[in-house]
Amino acid sequence: PQVELAATLPFPLVGIGASAGGLKALERFFDHLPPDSGMAFVVVQHLDPRRESYLGSLLQSHTAMAVRTIEGGMLAAVNTVYIKPPNSSLTIRHGRFHLQQPAVHAGVRLDIDEFFDSLAQDQGENAIAIVLSGAASDGTKGVRAINAADGLVLAQETEEAEYDSMPSHAIKTGVVDLVLPVEKMGEELARYVRHSRTARREVRRQITGKRFDGPLQQVLTTVQRVTGHDFSHYKKNTVRRRIERRLAIHQLDRLADYVRFIGEHPQEVEALFKDLLINVTSFFRDPKAFGALGEELAAMLAEHEPERLVRVWVPGCATGEEAYTLAILLLETMEKLKQSFPVKIYATDINPQSIECGREGRYPESIAADLSEERLGHFFLRQGNDFRVSEQLREMTVFAVHDLTRDPPFSRLDLVSCRNLLIYMDSALQKKVVPLLHYGLRPGGLLLLGTSEEVGPFTEEHFVAVNRKWKLFRARPLSPAGRHPIPVLTLPPRFREETGRKQEKKQLPSPAPAVDRGRSSRETALRQLVETTIMEEYAPPGIVVDERDRVLYFQGDTGRFLSPPRGEPSFELLKMARGGLADILAELLPKARQEKRRLVHKGVSIPLHGFPLTLDVAVKPLVEAGPGALLVTFEKLDAEAGAVGSADAPPDARIAILERQLFAARQELQATIEELETANEGLQNANEELQANNEELQSTNEELETSREELQSTNEELETVNVELKRKNDDLAQTSDDIDNLFSATDIGTVILDTDLRIKRFTPAATRYFRLIPSDIGRPLTDVVSSLTYEEMEADLQEVLRTLKSDSREVRSRSDEWYAVHLVPYRTRENVIAGVILTFTSVTGLKQAEIEAREAREFAENILATLREPLLVLNGELQVVSASPAFYRAFQVSPRVTVDVPVFQLGNNQWDIPELRHLLQEIIPENTTFNDFQVTHDFPSIGRRTLLLNARRLDRDGKPRLILLAFQDVTESLQHQGRR
């Protein structure tokens, strides 16, 4: 929600967030920024907390503005650059900076997010955020807050950023207004600030009444035509501020210019649509509210039927944080209760981009500020600089595009969380939405609203307050008469064409509100009685005929002028007309149709009871009844009195005639009265039956309407689930394609078996070792012919299944080739062992090399055994690798105390001879060979000896690998020469 500003500065305040690679970007930004921009700038960069920062002095050489390091309580001033000191957390309140000890969330510092959040709350539409180069995702949450407060958000172009992680994360939020090179940001900022003041005056001048009109209404109409969503019932101030931003961003001064602009740039309509959808959400927003909800959920779930699905709806879910919050809360509540219920959370929004973000379930590391380390570790997976929701949360949640004000609501819900959505609607729209939320809830279901929202006039009738402070309500059960009908709204023509018959079904009229049926029936009967009496007493008799002169309707007593024809019944007027009326009507009817006006034939005389009756016949077109329809009326001038009053008739005759007429009239009147009484009784009975039928039909209609609404809701849920299943099928198809391509590309033979050792899949390379064809899938591997001499294969496979430990073997094929076989347990995502995986790797070359090496070693050992002179083999570190038998005999030592021992430590250091050290450490490293190196030494075991040493160095890759050291004992020879 929009936060009331405490003390807005009289100039824009620009927060700049940067991290790795940000110094170069900052220098270029200030190089191209005029010193009298009329703004203040706050640089928040990730700095080493253990070292003094020289950022201020570095930036001072790139701007003529004053550059100051922030101190606590410092008031922001225009045309000044402020630097956040290291090892501190920065916020701003009432235009003054405040420093605190830095907070670390799950090992993540969020200095930029914290400052942007406070900047949005403190400065509102005067706040501007810029995200520059950085290797993390800090700032992602903060730019959402700046956008929601009607501020401006800029990001550096990712192509020029040295580290594009921070700007790319900000751009993915969809709230970045301008993506620019840093050199152009200063110019755009100046234009924006200059035009924002003009835009505010222009838009506010257009809003005078309670409704949108003029250019503002044209803008909203365009949005509705393109997107299908009507924002005319959103809060005026919210709409005003968002349109002001768009005018300032595009540097337009008049609303009329913006109307033309959106007509010429369709992409701007989508941008305005996203701007109007204020997307401010986070995990566990208002933690105490969710704490209160958790207590009520525990009480509700304690009485919940074990197998019944727990159904939750989150309308206006934005990017899904609130939906996943409820999933976490439900899982934690069920864990405390030591119970488990199936849960389905329906998360809906009108923004498809937000729904896709929710479906992906991938969020920046800034969510660590809203979640404990325990929840992060339990419900999220770390992926680079992001966190991804666990598969458990994702399976509980279904995302779908849905308009709360237009589409049928979900039904049979246990919880509806509609937080901070109603505050953007006017009272008229709230009165439509709140009953819809109540309709979706089961009796006793919970409704959670934002802390600034209320259910309004529906509190007493629809809801009972559970916790007024945190806006938690419980749905009351309503009688069928009190249920609020679901309004079925029509869509714009574009949407109506796309949805076809389905949309036509949605446009069925909603039932009329319940009224007092008895009172309504009495009023209707009285009205009909009065109208009928007036028509009979004062209106002339008449009929309505169609274009073929067939009677459609009789009015009044037409029996004096019309009579049914003999033979087959007919409603043709000319066959029913009495006397000479047929000829007169045959003339008037076509003439009235042709001239399209009222015609009258006066003084028509027809016989009635043996006496002439004089009347006027009028014919008038009646277009409302259909093409060619006519209204024919008979206006009586005088009755039989014309004949009675004749001067030629004698008085007695006239009296006799009058008496006969009187008697006939009395008889006719009596018959009419009797017929009327009979008809009244019949009508009374029919009326009572009709009333009873009407009551039954009303009840049936209510039941049908309820069923229709439930079917609509069920259909909407099925469509939602279908979309989710389609997405999963697409993912599975993609995964299957990846696996098929991987199997085709790999040269490693692989066979996947189930727990019965039946073949599930195999790579093409596996056909080198087994005669496999596609139809072998499902067969036991032991039934397939193999080219390997591997008799223990089945036993080894069973052992792997039994011990759940991997195993390896080297086996030979019948063509005398060697292969390394690895047997690994097949584990599912739920860590269940579902079989064994065999992989085959050719090791023929390695095996041959091993055999050759062994043979060479045996050959060398045989050579050493045949030598009569002592011989040592040393490695590069002068350790004994091996010795000849002659050495062991000559110096009376054993292999146990010789092999792997440094040569100078042999025989209690008896070989630590200076001449030998000189030979091995100085002469041999410089020369490949050396012969007849004389050494004289007293050996404890064999006495004083004079030896001639011959050495040869064996190199590999230019480094000593082995040193051969041969000894020739010349002691006796020298003694013999001395005696001579």
Side-chain angles (χ1 to χ4, degrees):
Q2 178 66 25
V3 179
E4 293 296 330
L5 304 181
T8 304
L9 295 170
F11 51 84
L13 190 59
V14 183
I16 306 175
S19 184
L23 178 58
K24 293 181 180 179
L26 287 168
E27 291 174 346
R28 298 205 310 274
F29 173 79
F30 286 109
D31 281 340
H32 294 81
L33 186 70
D36 56 348
S37 62
M39 294 172 270
F41 302 87
V42 181
V43 177
V44 182
Q45 188 174 22
H46 293 170
L47 302 171
D48 189 340
R50 298 165 297 180
R51 296 183 181 179
E52 182 181 356
S53 173
Y54 298 97
L55 180 61
S57 59
L58 293 173
L59 294 182
Q60 185 65 78
S61 61
H62 294 270
T63 179
M65 291 185 289
V67 180
R68 303 178 61 185
T69 300
I70 294 174
E71 298 177 358
M74 181 181 288
L75 180 65
V78 70
N79 295 330
T80 306
V81 180
Y82 296 93
I83 308 296
K84 184 192 82 67
N87 198 27
S88 63
S89 176
L90 174 66
T91 58
I92 184 170
R93 291 195 306 274
H94 309 310
R96 294 185 179 274
F97 299 113
H98 296 268
L99 298 174
Q100 299 89 24
Q101 287 297 319
V104 179
H105 307 278
V108 178
R109 287 279 299 273
L110 303 172
D111 297 344
I112 301 173
D113 274 328
E114 290 177 2
F115 178 70
F116 281 0
D117 281 340
S118 68
L119 178 61
Q121 294 181 25
D122 197 59
Q123 297 301 311
E125 60 191 17
N126 267 0
I128 299 175
I130 300 178
V131 180
L132 301 179
S133 173
S137 62
D138 195 6
T140 305
K141 179 183 177 184
V143 296
R144 293 180 186 272
I146 295 289
N147 176 267
D150 303 312
L152 181 72
V153 179
L154 290 80
Q156 183 180 6
E157 283 187 347
T158 55
E159 293 80 5
E160 76 159 22
E162 190 170 347
Y163 294 87
D164 64 357
S165 181
M166 271 177 42
S168 63
H169 272 86
I171 293 169
K172 286 179 182 178
T173 63
V175 302
V176 175
D177 299 300
L178 297 171
V179 180
L180 300 168
V182 289
E183 292 86 353
K184 296 184 178 180
M185 287 183 176
E187 180 182 354
E188 290 297 327
L189 282 177
R191 291 178 181 176
Y192 171 80
V193 172
R194 183 170 61 253
H195 284 82
S196 64
R197 300 187 183 98
T198 305
R200 291 173 193 173
R201 290 194 299 268
E202 166 71 6
V203 177
R204 293 172 189 181
R205 183 177 61 82
Q206 295 287 337
I207 300 180
T208 55
K210 294 183 177 181
R211 298 181 60 84
F212 295 104
D213 52 16
L216 275 175
Q217 183 57 48
Q218 292 178 12
V219 171
L220 296 182
T221 301
T222 302
V223 173
Q224 183 178 8
R225 185 181 70 253
V226 174
T227 68
H229 299 289
D230 183 10
F231 289 91
S232 60
H233 289 287
Y234 271 49
K235 289 290 181 64
K236 290 174 60 177
N237 286 338
T238 301
V239 176
R240 169 184 60 77
R241 291 193 303 268
R242 308 315 272 185
I243 294 179
E244 286 173 3
R245 289 183 69 257
R246 303 311 301 175
L247 262 73
I249 290 171
H250 296 293
Q251 300 153 27
L252 300 172
D253 295 330
R254 299 189 310 122
L255 266 173
D257 297 335
Y258 187 64
V259 173
R260 285 194 300 271
F261 184 82
I262 62 176
E264 298 169 356
H265 301 81
Q267 66 275 14
E268 173 61 19
V269 179
E270 294 294 338
L272 176 59
F273 167 67
K274 293 178 182 177
D275 232 10
L276 291 170
L277 300 177
I278 300 175
N279 183 9
V280 182
T281 183
S282 61
F283 287 94
F284 288 92
R285 192 179 183 192
D286 297 326
K288 293 183 179 179
F290 284 101
L293 175 63
E295 295 177 1
E296 293 300 322
L297 285 176
M300 182 181 74
L301 293 179
E303 301 177 357
H304 197 80
E305 295 89 339
E307 300 300 326
R308 184 167 69 83
L309 182 68
V310 177
R311 295 164 58 85
V312 180
W313 182 22
V314 186
C317 69
T319 48
E321 287 90 333
E322 185 177 339
Y324 289 127
T325 296
L326 293 175
I328 293 172
L329 193 62
L330 284 166
L331 288 174
E332 291 178 342
T333 303
M334 289 189 289
E335 185 177 356
K336 291 178 182 177
L337 295 175
K338 299 188 181 333
Q339 292 179 292
S340 180
F341 304 98
V343 177
K344 190 60 67 178
I345 300 174
Y346 302 98
T348 64
D349 199 278
I350 64 175
N351 188 350
Q353 185 178 1
S354 297
I355 289 297
E356 284 303 317
C357 291
R359 283 193 180 126
E360 187 179 5
R362 191 183 186 100
Y363 299 98
E365 59 185 2
S366 57
I367 67 172
D370 305 316
L371 294 161
S372 65
E373 292 190 22
E374 181 182 0
R375 282 172 172 161
L376 277 174
H378 191 188
F379 298 108
F380 294 84
L381 302 175
R382 187 69 182 257
Q383 296 182 347
N385 290 327
D386 297 332
F387 287 98
R388 192 160 195 166
V389 297
S390 66
E391 195 67 24
Q392 185 181 20
L393 295 185
R394 188 63 191 87
E395 291 296 331
M396 292 171 60
T397 313
V398 177
F399 288 89
V401 178
H402 179 281
D403 190 342
L404 175 62
T405 65
R406 187 180 65 195
D407 298 325
F410 294 86
S411 61
R412 305 186 302 279
L413 299 165
D414 298 284
L415 169 64
V416 173
S417 180
C418 183
R419 307 189 72 236
N420 303 315
L421 178 62
L422 298 180
I423 58 173
Y424 297 113
M425 302 177 180
D426 63 12
S427 58
L429 188 56
Q430 288 182 10
K431 289 179 181 178
K432 293 181 180 180
V433 168
V434 174
L436 293 179
L437 301 179
H438 179 272
Y439 168 83
L441 286 166
R442 298 176 183 273
L446 297 174
L447 172 65
L448 180 64
L449 300 179
T451 54
S452 302
E453 296 173 320
E454 280 289 352
V455 292
F458 301 96
T459 306
E460 298 299 329
E461 181 182 1
H462 293 74
F463 298 97
V464 58
V466 176
N467 190 319
R468 287 195 175 275
K469 180 178 180 180
W470 299 114
K471 301 302 186 290
L472 185 59
F473 303 89
R474 180 175 285 110
R476 295 178 183 270
L478 295 179
S479 63
R483 293 185 65 183
H484 193 281
I486 297 180
V488 184
L489 307 178
T490 58
L491 294 177
R494 182 170 70 88
F495 286 81
R496 201 177 303 131
E497 293 170 3
E498 293 175 357
T499 52
R501 293 183 179 179
K502 174 184 173 182
Q503 184 60 32
E504 293 176 5
K505 293 180 180 180
K506 288 187 177 181
Q507 295 175 3
L508 293 172
S510 57
V515 297
D516 186 341
R517 297 189 182 89
R519 177 180 177 184
S520 176
S521 301
R522 290 193 300 272
E523 291 177 353
T524 302
L526 180 60
R527 183 176 65 253
Q528 291 176 348
L529 178 62
V530 172
E531 292 174 354
T532 302
T533 303
I534 292 175
M535 293 292 291
E536 290 179 353
E537 291 293 330
Y538 301 100
I543 56 172
V544 177
V545 296
D546 61 11
E547 70 277 7
R548 298 183 181 180
D549 298 332
R550 292 176 299 186
V551 178
L552 300 176
Y553 182 81
F554 295 90
Q555 167 60 40
D557 184 12
T558 58
R560 301 179 183 182
F561 319 109
L562 306 175
S563 62
R566 296 194 178 109
E568 294 181 0
S570 174
F571 277 82
E572 293 184 19
L573 176 61
L574 300 182
K575 291 182 179 181
M576 299 172 64
R578 291 179 180 271
L581 277 178
D583 295 333
I584 295 172
L585 291 172
E587 178 184 357
L588 288 177
L589 296 177
K591 190 175 180 180
R593 290 193 182 97
Q594 183 178 1
E595 297 179 6
K596 298 180 180 180
R597 64 185 181 90
R598 185 173 182 269
L599 301 177
V600 180
H601 194 293
K602 297 186 177 182
V604 179
S605 179
I606 60 173
L608 180 63
H609 302 303
F611 298 96
L613 176 65
T614 304
L615 68 153
D616 292 343
V617 179
V619 179
K620 177 184 178 181
L622 195 63
V623 180
E624 294 80 1
L630 298 172
L631 172 64
V632 181
T633 56
F634 308 97
E635 299 177 7
K636 185 170 61 175
L637 298 178
D638 56 334
E640 296 87 349
V644 175
S646 173
D648 297 334
D652 293 342
R654 291 200 300 274
I655 293 172
I657 292 172
L658 290 174
E659 287 178 348
R660 287 197 302 274
Q661 292 178 354
L662 179 60
F663 178 75
R666 286 176 176 174
Q667 284 186 327
E668 186 175 352
L669 178 61
Q670 183 63 33
T672 302
I673 292 173
E674 292 175 357
E675 291 177 1
L676 181 60
E677 290 177 350
T678 302
N680 284 340
E681 291 177 0
L683 289 173
Q684 183 67 25
N685 294 333
N687 184 54
E688 293 175 355
E689 292 179 3
L690 287 174
Q691 285 183 348
N693 291 337
N694 185 55
E695 291 288 339
E696 294 178 2
L697 288 174
Q698 286 284 357
S699 300
T700 303
N701 183 58
E702 290 176 1
E703 295 175 359
L704 289 174
E705 182 64 24
T706 301
S707 300
R708 183 180 70 84
E709 293 169 357
E710 293 178 353
L711 285 174
Q712 283 181 334
S713 298
T714 303
N715 184 57
E716 191 73 25
E717 294 176 19
L718 289 174
E719 290 181 0
T720 299
V721 174
N722 184 55
V723 170
E724 191 73 12
L725 289 175
K726 183 179 182 301
R727 186 188 67 81
K728 290 187 176 181
N729 286 337
D730 293 341
D731 292 344
L732 288 174
Q734 180 65 42
T735 303
S736 179
D737 291 342
D738 293 344
I739 292 175
D740 290 340
N741 282 278
L742 177 62
F743 274 28
S744 299
T746 183
D747 195 41
I748 299 175
T750 304
V751 181
I752 302 176
L753 308 176
D754 61 14
T755 53
D756 295 326
L757 304 185
R758 296 180 181 274
I759 301 169
K760 295 173 65 176
R761 300 192 72 159
F762 59 87
T763 63
T767 57
R768 302 173 189 168
Y769 320 110
F770 299 94
R771 294 183 181 178
L772 292 169
I773 57 176
S775 60
D776 286 333
I777 292 178
R779 290 181 58 193
L781 181 62
T782 52
D783 292 352
V784 180
V785 177
S786 173
S787 63
L788 305 175
T789 58
Y790 188 13
E791 303 298 334
E792 303 84 4
M793 181 177 66
E794 183 176 3
D796 289 347
L797 291 171
Q798 294 290 356
E799 183 67 13
V800 170
L801 287 175
R802 187 183 67 81
T803 62
L804 307 182
K805 293 182 180 179
S806 302
D807 196 3
S808 296
R809 291 284 188 276
E810 287 186 356
V811 298
R812 187 169 59 183
S813 69
R814 292 184 173 82
S815 58
D816 205 25
E817 293 185 351
W818 286 87
Y819 299 96
V821 182
H822 298 280
L823 300 87
V824 182
Y826 181 96
R827 297 179 185 272
T828 65
R829 187 170 12 175
E830 291 78 17
N831 202 27
V832 175
I833 302 302
V836 185
I837 303 175
L838 283 86
T839 61
F840 301 87
T841 307
S842 176
V843 293
T844 302
L846 294 175
K847 198 68 176 178
Q848 290 175 349
E850 180 183 338
I851 294 172
E852 292 174 358
R854 186 171 62 250
E855 291 176 348
R857 185 181 183 86
E858 291 175 355
F859 179 73
E861 289 176 351
N862 289 328
I863 291 175
L864 289 176
T866 59
L867 291 176
R868 300 182 63 185
E869 294 182 348
L871 178 69
L872 283 179
V873 180
L874 309 179
N875 60 18
E877 286 73 30
L878 303 181
Q879 287 180 323
V880 178
V881 176
S882 63
S884 66
F887 179 85
Y888 296 131
R889 291 193 301 270
F891 297 103
Q892 300 179 10
V893 292
S894 65
R896 183 177 59 82
V897 296
T898 303
V899 177
D900 294 333
V901 176
V903 66
F904 302 123
Q905 297 178 11
L906 291 175
N908 297 324
N909 301 324
Q910 67 180 357
W911 286 93
D912 191 3
I913 306 170
E915 292 88 347
L916 182 60
R917 279 188 177 274
H918 177 68
L919 170 66
L920 296 178
Q921 294 179 348
E922 298 182 17
I923 297 178
I924 287 298
E926 300 295 332
N927 300 277
T928 305
T929 63
F930 196 86
N931 298 319
D932 298 333
F933 185 83
Q934 183 173 325
V935 173
T936 302
H937 185 68
D938 290 325
F939 294 94
S941 58
I942 62 175
R944 185 176 183 84
R945 286 285 187 269
T946 300
L947 305 174
L948 291 180
L949 277 62
N950 299 317
R952 175 175 291 275
R953 191 184 74 212
L954 303 179
D955 295 345
R956 181 178 63 181
D957 298 331
K959 296 181 180 180
R961 181 185 179 191
L962 294 174
I963 299 174
L964 302 181
L965 188 61
F967 303 88
Q968 181 181 356
D969 190 349
V970 296
T971 304
E972 295 179 358
S973 176
L974 291 176
Q975 290 175 352
H976 179 70
Q977 290 179 3
R979 287 194 296 269
R980 290 179 61 187

